[in-house]
Amino acid sequence: MAFLCSSLPSSCSVSIFSDSSTDVSRLIPSCRLRFRLRPVAASNVCVPSIDSSTFIVSETVSEDELWAAACLRVRTFNELNPSAYNIQDHRKYLAEREFEALKERISGKREGFTRVSCVNATLPLSQLSSSSSQDLCSACKFSDGIEDRVVVGSLDLNQCRWLPDEIAGTKPEGIGVDFARAYLSNVCVAKELHRNGVGYKLIEKSKGIAREWGITDMYVHVTVDNEAAKRLYMKSGFEQESIEPAWQARYLNRPQRLLLWLALPTS
């Protein structure tokens, strides 16, 4: 089961639960690279037995954790041949681009965004000691000052009127929509942790943060054929608001997207 995410406010796109595969060519607007990162189909891996009490889902507070989140996104949204020449350097390059773009968005330097937060789901390294999780641990590990942990899920919560190259939501209307509307993007979960409720936990945490920001309407984009992602969002309370015009999807060379909407309680 593979999920796909919503588009990246950094001008990136995304992959796993909402939809827009991370397009590094847009991380720095002045640099248009000649490739697009494609979502990776999940492989048949054994889902580890996880103690759910050890999950922490929270906003990123350190650059080490932010780097681990960037590495998870590169690992999730890209189908890279592990035997290809210089593959590790290429992964590092992609992670550095995403890391810098993340810092720019969170620091408020991206025009059009009132606020951006990177929300991560993490587990202690000791919970992922099996050989099937070795690559995940190596790529996405960080220290929180107490123990080594691994970023196993990540998303961006974007307080803004719209995301670049995506369908814009219509709610709320009138004055103040920049402050009351938010989009989820870059929603991803490590393939080793699928079916552990990580995506649902990330979305529920994001709802709480959004309410603290004064958000009343939350949106997420998902490709029309991504049934697993749509089930997750429907379970979380989203419903379909609109569909991307077919011509726009063809023009942007990507699968057609749905725009899903969720009304957040104001109290």
Side-chain angles (χ1 to χ4, degrees), residues 60-75 88-100 102-103 106 118 120 138-142 151 154:
T60 307
V61 296
S62 72
E63 287 201 353
D64 283 348
E65 184 179 346
L66 204 63
W67 171 259
C71 291
L72 177 65
R73 294 175 186 195
V74 169
R75 186 179 186 270
Q88 293 304 322
D89 286 346
H90 185 52
R91 282 177 176 159
K92 183 179 179 182
Y93 165 77
L94 296 177
E96 287 172 347
R97 296 289 296 273
E98 172 61 4
F99 177 63
E100 293 301 323
L102 259 174
K103 288 198 297 181
I106 293 170
C118 174
N120 292 329
S138 173
C140 306
K141 182 180 71 172
F142 72 101
V151 174
S154 185

Side-chain angles (χ1 to χ4, degrees), residues 150-260:
V150 179
V151 174
V152 296
S154 185
L155 62 75
D156 290 336
L157 174 65
N158 311 281
Q159 185 178 18
C160 58
R161 185 185 293 262
W162 62 72
L163 293 181
D165 294 332
E166 294 291 1
I167 322 165
T170 61
K171 304 179 184 70
E173 298 177 345
I175 299 172
V177 296
D178 290 1
F179 300 96
R181 185 186 300 166
Y183 295 83
L184 298 180
S185 66
N186 299 320
V187 190
C188 61
V189 172
K191 62 181 181 291
E192 293 87 348
L193 271 294
H194 286 180
R195 299 180 295 281
N196 269 286
V198 181
Y200 185 79
K201 290 180 174 70
L202 284 167
I203 294 169
E204 290 304 299
K205 179 64 176 180
S206 298
K207 289 181 188 178
I209 297 169
R211 285 194 293 268
E212 292 174 4
W213 291 359
I215 300 298
T216 60
D217 298 86
M218 181 180 286
Y219 285 93
V220 68
H221 298 87
V222 61
T223 56
V224 294
D225 60 350
N226 196 334
E227 297 302 327
K230 287 189 284 188
R231 284 195 298 271
L232 170 72
Y233 290 123
M234 299 302 178
K235 178 182 176 182
S236 300
F238 284 85
E239 58 186 72
Q240 183 176 332
E241 179 175 293
S242 60
I243 184 169
E244 179 180 38
W247 67 263
Q248 181 173 315
R250 288 194 299 270
Y251 176 76
L252 294 170
N253 189 30
R254 68 185 187 190
Q256 192 175 18
R257 286 159 165 65
L258 300 175
L259 178 64
L260 307 183

Side-chain angles (χ1 to χ4, degrees), residues 1-5 14-21 38-45 75-79 187-195 222-233:
M1 172 171 65
F3 300 103
L4 282 182
C5 299
V14 214
S15 162
I16 189 167
F17 286 120
S18 98
D19 261 334
S20 299
S21 351
R38 298 294 184 183
V40 182
S43 59
N44 295 321
V45 296
R75 186 179 186 270
T76 303
F77 304 145
N78 296 273
E79 191 168 316
V187 190
C188 61
V189 172
K191 62 181 181 291
E192 293 87 348
L193 271 294
H194 286 180
R195 299 180 295 281
V222 61
T223 56
V224 294
D225 60 350
N226 196 334
E227 297 302 327
K230 287 189 284 188
R231 284 195 298 271
L232 170 72
Y233 290 123

